Amino acid sequence: MNILCSFAFHQLKRKKSRTIITAAAITLSAALLTAVVNFAASGNTMLSGFLGSDYGLYGNAYAFTLLIPAVFLAALIIAMSIIVISNAFRMSANERISQFGTLKCVGATKNQIYKTIMYECILLCTGAIPLGILLGYLLSFAGIGVVNLYIEDLNVLVRSMMKQVNFHLSFVFSPAALIISLIISLGTVLFAAMLPARKAMGISALDCLRFGGETDTSGYKRTKIRIDAKRNIEYQLAKKNVSSNRKQMHSAVTALSISIMLFVTMSGLKEIAEGIQNYIYQDHGCTVVADYTAKFKNTIHPKTGRRQQECAYPIDAQTAEEITEKLKGYQDTDIYGSGQDYSTYAAILTPQDLTEDMQKVLSRQSGEKPEIILDVERIILDDKHYREVCAQAGTDYGGTILLNDYKYNDKGTERHIPPLSMTASTLKLEKADGSLDNINIDGVLTVSEIPKELMYPNTNPIRLIVPSEGISLRGYNWMASPEDEEGFMEYARAVLESYFPQNGMDYEEAGYTSRVYGAQDFVKIMNIAIILAAFFLYAFVFLLGLIGVLNVISTVSFQIKLRARELAVLQSVGMSSESVQKMLSIESVLCGGKALIFGLPVGMCIVFLMARCVKMLFPISFHMPWAAIAITLILSLLVMWGTVRISARALKKQNIIETIRI
């Protein structure tokens, strides 16, 4: 064996605790990187099987959706690993700096000192990286198993809405992914070891022997220790020590801060996802929904240049009413039928036709204009509920009813305002071809009077319930709350299949789709997605935080051993062991506080910015994850305090006189 390699091997054997901690950090780093790369490979296989080898029409979007999280997670792992592993080798080099000085005095070159540390790194990599890659595959295999526990339920829910859908995440062993994991893991560790190795090789032999290599005093702060007898002596000493030794504890505080920041950020992300879920799901008073949707395409009218929507197989109001009557035949179930047309008409208005609130909203969005064009949503209802709405609005059967409510997102808050002034009795509607229709408004319903079945999240500014005679629409919904949900769903599927046979074809092939599903299925799908995302995010943060904790343990234990003589001197002048323990405990709390001072505000700012961006799209209710923040605060202080307490126990066994002499 090469003498430098032998020297490095002897150092690893002699410092077993340091070797175990460093090897564990390398193993965890390699494991996390392998798991991320393998998940990306497995996800690629699933998407390729579902969408085709090129991911179909939106190939670039799907590819970036898969790659961006993988690259982001890998970058976080690499950054944390470099901080932790580099700190471990720095402490090892500092501990041996006098030895390096002796070697230089007997003829060792700078390059040989550099190689000694790098041999130590390579020896650790030889055992730790293969173990980490194996652990990474085990984590990937276990994670995929957890995913598939939920994904089957997800398939059942999705298939109830989209036929011929079957997601399955398979464990994939990819030689390319293995090579990528190995190269990234090895490169990360070698780069982390190079930093302290280059610093050690640059210190002169004289400095190594005279000052132990710590020639850079920029991290130290000279302080005069003036003891105030009226104040806690242990606290005063602890505060001075933390201030003086901030450089040595910098990496531990940084690693703990990053762990705190990540945990708070992930908790905030979960809160945001749950807020979106609560917004998307609204209780319409039904448990089962059946619907029909025709395939469409948006085109530009050749004469006017306006956008128009062309449907392949629109459903007419007569057919929709027939299906409503047949669905009612199942145990006299009450059916609420409604269809919407979002794209046929636009209303041409003047500012005087609008309420002051609506004018303010539109002026913020597009400025003031003499003529205002707003999209119109036409709604038809089944005959029974249309009669009820006419009676509620105080108009005769066959009238047009304005739902005078505009819902918009005001910086994260959902606002409801009446868009049209009550003086407006007619509306001038224009089609994409330029033809005009004047529509009389026979009745008006305000926000408190609109049926909850029509309070869905996305609506057009102008909403009209119109007579159904002669109208064809792209889609129609039938909502019900039957006593026998499963039986009704089977019956409804048979009814829709008799009118819209798909014969095993999907939406693209048939030109339409008909579905029957539970009203809460969308919520269940999102809930499964949130559970899976939370599981992986928290598992990732836990393992990444564990790397940071290893760094804290390594740094703190090294510092306490390095300060053994200092602590022995304090005991020799009358300070009791309990006081020394108290001083070290206070130091740990102060260091943990420094990590919290950086990590908590940064994590909370990231959460606040994410929530602010999401609120621009969804009017969600969001609260800072205070429970997670409290847990983070307690755990961070406990990690520091527990590490110091365990490391300080070894000091009880030492002889004060012998320690001072050394």
mmCIF file of all heavy atoms in Angstrom, residues 402-424:
data_model
loop_
_atom_site.group_PDB
_atom_site.id
_atom_site.type_symbol
_atom_site.label_atom_id
_atom_site.label_comp_id
_atom_site.label_asym_id
_atom_site.label_seq_id
_atom_site.Cartn_x
_atom_site.Cartn_y
_atom_site.Cartn_z
ATOM 1 N N LEU A 402 -81.008 37.120 -15.290
ATOM 2 C CA LEU A 402 -79.625 37.534 -15.074
ATOM 3 C C LEU A 402 -79.166 37.110 -13.683
ATOM 4 O O LEU A 402 -79.831 37.427 -12.687
ATOM 5 C CB LEU A 402 -79.502 39.054 -15.223
ATOM 6 C CG LEU A 402 -78.170 39.676 -14.780
ATOM 7 C CD1 LEU A 402 -77.041 39.256 -15.715
ATOM 8 C CD2 LEU A 402 -78.286 41.192 -14.701
ATOM 9 N N LEU A 403 -78.070 36.377 -13.631
ATOM 10 C CA LEU A 403 -77.417 36.083 -12.350
ATOM 11 C C LEU A 403 -76.424 37.214 -12.099
ATOM 12 O O LEU A 403 -75.298 37.199 -12.594
ATOM 13 C CB LEU A 403 -76.704 34.725 -12.410
ATOM 14 C CG LEU A 403 -77.579 33.515 -12.759
ATOM 15 C CD1 LEU A 403 -76.749 32.236 -12.738
ATOM 16 C CD2 LEU A 403 -78.763 33.409 -11.810
ATOM 17 N N ASN A 404 -76.882 38.214 -11.366
ATOM 18 C CA ASN A 404 -76.112 39.456 -11.236
ATOM 19 C C ASN A 404 -75.050 39.317 -10.137
ATOM 20 O O ASN A 404 -75.129 39.947 -9.067
ATOM 21 C CB ASN A 404 -77.055 40.617 -10.933
ATOM 22 C CG ASN A 404 -76.440 41.951 -11.316
ATOM 23 O OD1 ASN A 404 -75.552 42.008 -12.167
ATOM 24 N ND2 ASN A 404 -76.915 43.024 -10.689
ATOM 25 N N ASP A 405 -74.053 38.512 -10.441
ATOM 26 C CA ASP A 405 -72.965 38.287 -9.484
ATOM 27 C C ASP A 405 -71.682 38.028 -10.266
ATOM 28 O O ASP A 405 -71.649 37.169 -11.160
ATOM 29 C CB ASP A 405 -73.272 37.090 -8.578
ATOM 30 C CG ASP A 405 -72.078 36.714 -7.719
ATOM 31 O OD1 ASP A 405 -71.568 37.584 -6.991
ATOM 32 O OD2 ASP A 405 -71.634 35.548 -7.788
ATOM 33 N N TYR A 406 -70.653 38.786 -9.940
ATOM 34 C CA TYR A 406 -69.332 38.577 -10.540
ATOM 35 C C TYR A 406 -68.354 38.238 -9.422
ATOM 36 O O TYR A 406 -68.207 38.993 -8.462
ATOM 37 C CB TYR A 406 -68.871 39.811 -11.306
ATOM 38 C CG TYR A 406 -67.463 39.688 -11.863
ATOM 39 C CD1 TYR A 406 -67.130 38.664 -12.735
ATOM 40 C CD2 TYR A 406 -66.470 40.590 -11.498
ATOM 41 C CE1 TYR A 406 -65.846 38.542 -13.242
ATOM 42 C CE2 TYR A 406 -65.175 40.481 -12.010
ATOM 43 C CZ TYR A 406 -64.872 39.450 -12.873
ATOM 44 O OH TYR A 406 -63.607 39.317 -13.369
ATOM 45 N N LYS A 407 -67.719 37.124 -9.572
ATOM 46 C CA LYS A 407 -66.778 36.639 -8.559
ATOM 47 C C LYS A 407 -65.364 36.809 -9.090
ATOM 48 O O LYS A 407 -65.048 36.388 -10.193
ATOM 49 C CB LYS A 407 -67.079 35.166 -8.266
ATOM 50 C CG LYS A 407 -66.154 34.529 -7.263
ATOM 51 C CD LYS A 407 -66.681 33.176 -6.807
ATOM 52 C CE LYS A 407 -66.955 32.232 -7.942
ATOM 53 N NZ LYS A 407 -67.420 30.920 -7.486
ATOM 54 N N TYR A 408 -64.499 37.438 -8.280
ATOM 55 C CA TYR A 408 -63.121 37.647 -8.732
ATOM 56 C C TYR A 408 -62.160 37.515 -7.553
ATOM 57 O O TYR A 408 -62.567 37.567 -6.380
ATOM 58 C CB TYR A 408 -62.968 39.004 -9.425
ATOM 59 C CG TYR A 408 -63.069 40.202 -8.506
ATOM 60 C CD1 TYR A 408 -61.922 40.843 -8.030
ATOM 61 C CD2 TYR A 408 -64.308 40.709 -8.127
ATOM 62 C CE1 TYR A 408 -62.014 41.947 -7.191
ATOM 63 C CE2 TYR A 408 -64.402 41.812 -7.295
ATOM 64 C CZ TYR A 408 -63.255 42.427 -6.826
ATOM 65 O OH TYR A 408 -63.347 43.509 -5.997
ATOM 66 N N ASN A 409 -60.907 37.377 -7.888
ATOM 67 C CA ASN A 409 -59.855 37.182 -6.891
ATOM 68 C C ASN A 409 -59.198 38.532 -6.588
ATOM 69 O O ASN A 409 -58.527 39.104 -7.427
ATOM 70 C CB ASN A 409 -58.818 36.183 -7.415
ATOM 71 C CG ASN A 409 -57.702 35.927 -6.414
ATOM 72 O OD1 ASN A 409 -57.803 36.276 -5.246
ATOM 73 N ND2 ASN A 409 -56.629 35.306 -6.870
ATOM 74 N N ASP A 410 -59.410 39.029 -5.392
ATOM 75 C CA ASP A 410 -58.842 40.313 -4.976
ATOM 76 C C ASP A 410 -57.661 40.055 -4.034
ATOM 77 O O ASP A 410 -57.799 40.033 -2.822
ATOM 78 C CB ASP A 410 -59.913 41.152 -4.270
ATOM 79 C CG ASP A 410 -59.376 42.525 -3.863
ATOM 80 O OD1 ASP A 410 -58.334 42.937 -4.407
ATOM 81 O OD2 ASP A 410 -60.011 43.164 -2.998
ATOM 82 N N LYS A 411 -56.478 39.794 -4.643
ATOM 83 C CA LYS A 411 -55.242 39.561 -3.890
ATOM 84 C C LYS A 411 -55.402 38.463 -2.842
ATOM 85 O O LYS A 411 -54.976 38.589 -1.698
ATOM 86 C CB LYS A 411 -54.780 40.858 -3.217
ATOM 87 C CG LYS A 411 -54.456 41.974 -4.191
ATOM 88 C CD LYS A 411 -54.028 43.229 -3.472
ATOM 89 C CE LYS A 411 -53.725 44.362 -4.446
ATOM 90 N NZ LYS A 411 -53.336 45.619 -3.771
ATOM 91 N N GLY A 412 -56.041 37.391 -3.261
ATOM 92 C CA GLY A 412 -56.174 36.248 -2.381
ATOM 93 C C GLY A 412 -57.507 36.150 -1.669
ATOM 94 O O GLY A 412 -57.754 35.170 -0.966
ATOM 95 N N THR A 413 -58.368 37.143 -1.836
ATOM 96 C CA THR A 413 -59.693 37.122 -1.212
ATOM 97 C C THR A 413 -60.759 37.066 -2.289
ATOM 98 O O THR A 413 -60.714 37.840 -3.249
ATOM 99 C CB THR A 413 -59.906 38.367 -0.338
ATOM 100 O OG1 THR A 413 -58.876 38.428 0.655
ATOM 101 C CG2 THR A 413 -61.265 38.330 0.343
ATOM 102 N N GLU A 414 -61.715 36.173 -2.141
ATOM 103 C CA GLU A 414 -62.791 36.049 -3.117
ATOM 104 C C GLU A 414 -63.823 37.146 -2.874
ATOM 105 O O GLU A 414 -64.384 37.252 -1.776
ATOM 106 C CB GLU A 414 -63.442 34.674 -3.022
ATOM 107 C CG GLU A 414 -64.501 34.430 -4.086
ATOM 108 C CD GLU A 414 -65.038 33.008 -4.043
ATOM 109 O OE1 GLU A 414 -64.391 32.111 -4.620
ATOM 110 O OE2 GLU A 414 -66.081 32.795 -3.393
ATOM 111 N N ARG A 415 -64.054 37.960 -3.896
ATOM 112 C CA ARG A 415 -65.026 39.049 -3.806
ATOM 113 C C ARG A 415 -66.213 38.759 -4.704
ATOM 114 O O ARG A 415 -66.052 38.219 -5.809
ATOM 115 C CB ARG A 415 -64.394 40.373 -4.231
ATOM 116 C CG ARG A 415 -63.124 40.753 -3.497
ATOM 117 C CD ARG A 415 -63.367 41.167 -2.076
ATOM 118 N NE ARG A 415 -62.152 41.678 -1.456
ATOM 119 C CZ ARG A 415 -62.031 41.895 -0.161
ATOM 120 N NH1 ARG A 415 -63.047 41.673 0.650
ATOM 121 N NH2 ARG A 415 -60.881 42.350 0.333
ATOM 122 N N HIS A 416 -67.407 39.170 -4.246
ATOM 123 C CA HIS A 416 -68.631 39.071 -5.044
ATOM 124 C C HIS A 416 -69.210 40.475 -5.206
ATOM 125 O O HIS A 416 -69.452 41.173 -4.212
ATOM 126 C CB HIS A 416 -69.654 38.175 -4.348
ATOM 127 C CG HIS A 416 -69.283 36.721 -4.357
ATOM 128 N ND1 HIS A 416 -69.786 35.823 -5.263
ATOM 129 C CD2 HIS A 416 -68.436 36.023 -3.567
ATOM 130 C CE1 HIS A 416 -69.275 34.620 -5.027
ATOM 131 N NE2 HIS A 416 -68.460 34.718 -3.994
ATOM 132 N N ILE A 417 -69.418 40.874 -6.448
ATOM 133 C CA ILE A 417 -70.027 42.180 -6.717
ATOM 134 C C ILE A 417 -71.066 42.013 -7.823
ATOM 135 O O ILE A 417 -70.948 41.129 -8.677
ATOM 136 C CB ILE A 417 -68.978 43.230 -7.149
ATOM 137 C CG1 ILE A 417 -68.259 42.772 -8.421
ATOM 138 C CG2 ILE A 417 -67.983 43.499 -6.033
ATOM 139 C CD1 ILE A 417 -67.349 43.841 -9.024
ATOM 140 N N PRO A 418 -72.105 42.850 -7.845
ATOM 141 C CA PRO A 418 -73.048 42.832 -8.978
ATOM 142 C C PRO A 418 -72.417 43.528 -10.173
ATOM 143 O O PRO A 418 -72.010 44.693 -10.070
ATOM 144 C CB PRO A 418 -74.261 43.595 -8.447
ATOM 145 C CG PRO A 418 -73.708 44.474 -7.369
ATOM 146 C CD PRO A 418 -72.546 43.746 -6.772
ATOM 147 N N PRO A 419 -72.302 42.876 -11.339
ATOM 148 C CA PRO A 419 -71.651 43.525 -12.484
ATOM 149 C C PRO A 419 -72.516 44.558 -13.190
ATOM 150 O O PRO A 419 -72.012 45.583 -13.647
ATOM 151 C CB PRO A 419 -71.334 42.350 -13.418
ATOM 152 C CG PRO A 419 -72.316 41.296 -13.054
ATOM 153 C CD PRO A 419 -72.623 41.465 -11.603
ATOM 154 N N LEU A 420 -73.832 44.315 -13.304
ATOM 155 C CA LEU A 420 -74.709 45.212 -14.063
ATOM 156 C C LEU A 420 -75.570 46.036 -13.125
ATOM 157 O O LEU A 420 -76.022 45.550 -12.079
ATOM 158 C CB LEU A 420 -75.601 44.411 -15.011
ATOM 159 C CG LEU A 420 -74.894 43.599 -16.106
ATOM 160 C CD1 LEU A 420 -75.913 42.938 -17.007
ATOM 161 C CD2 LEU A 420 -73.955 44.477 -16.917
ATOM 162 N N SER A 421 -75.789 47.289 -13.505
ATOM 163 C CA SER A 421 -76.697 48.146 -12.737
ATOM 164 C C SER A 421 -78.126 47.664 -12.952
ATOM 165 O O SER A 421 -78.462 47.080 -13.989
ATOM 166 C CB SER A 421 -76.553 49.604 -13.175
ATOM 167 O OG SER A 421 -76.894 49.742 -14.546
ATOM 168 N N MET A 422 -78.971 47.889 -11.977
ATOM 169 C CA MET A 422 -80.340 47.368 -12.055
ATOM 170 C C MET A 422 -81.166 48.088 -13.121
ATOM 171 O O MET A 422 -82.259 47.651 -13.456
ATOM 172 C CB MET A 422 -81.019 47.525 -10.686
ATOM 173 C CG MET A 422 -80.299 46.785 -9.564
ATOM 174 S SD MET A 422 -80.010 45.036 -9.907
ATOM 175 C CE MET A 422 -81.681 44.434 -9.928
ATOM 176 N N THR A 423 -80.622 49.184 -13.667
ATOM 177 C CA THR A 423 -81.361 49.894 -14.722
ATOM 178 C C THR A 423 -81.224 49.205 -16.076
ATOM 179 O O THR A 423 -81.974 49.508 -17.010
ATOM 180 C CB THR A 423 -80.843 51.336 -14.851
ATOM 181 O OG1 THR A 423 -79.430 51.300 -15.119
ATOM 182 C CG2 THR A 423 -81.084 52.116 -13.551
ATOM 183 N N ALA A 424 -80.265 48.293 -16.209
ATOM 184 C CA ALA A 424 -80.061 47.613 -17.488
ATOM 185 C C ALA A 424 -81.166 46.584 -17.696
ATOM 186 O O ALA A 424 -81.295 45.639 -16.930
ATOM 187 C CB ALA A 424 -78.691 46.945 -17.504
#
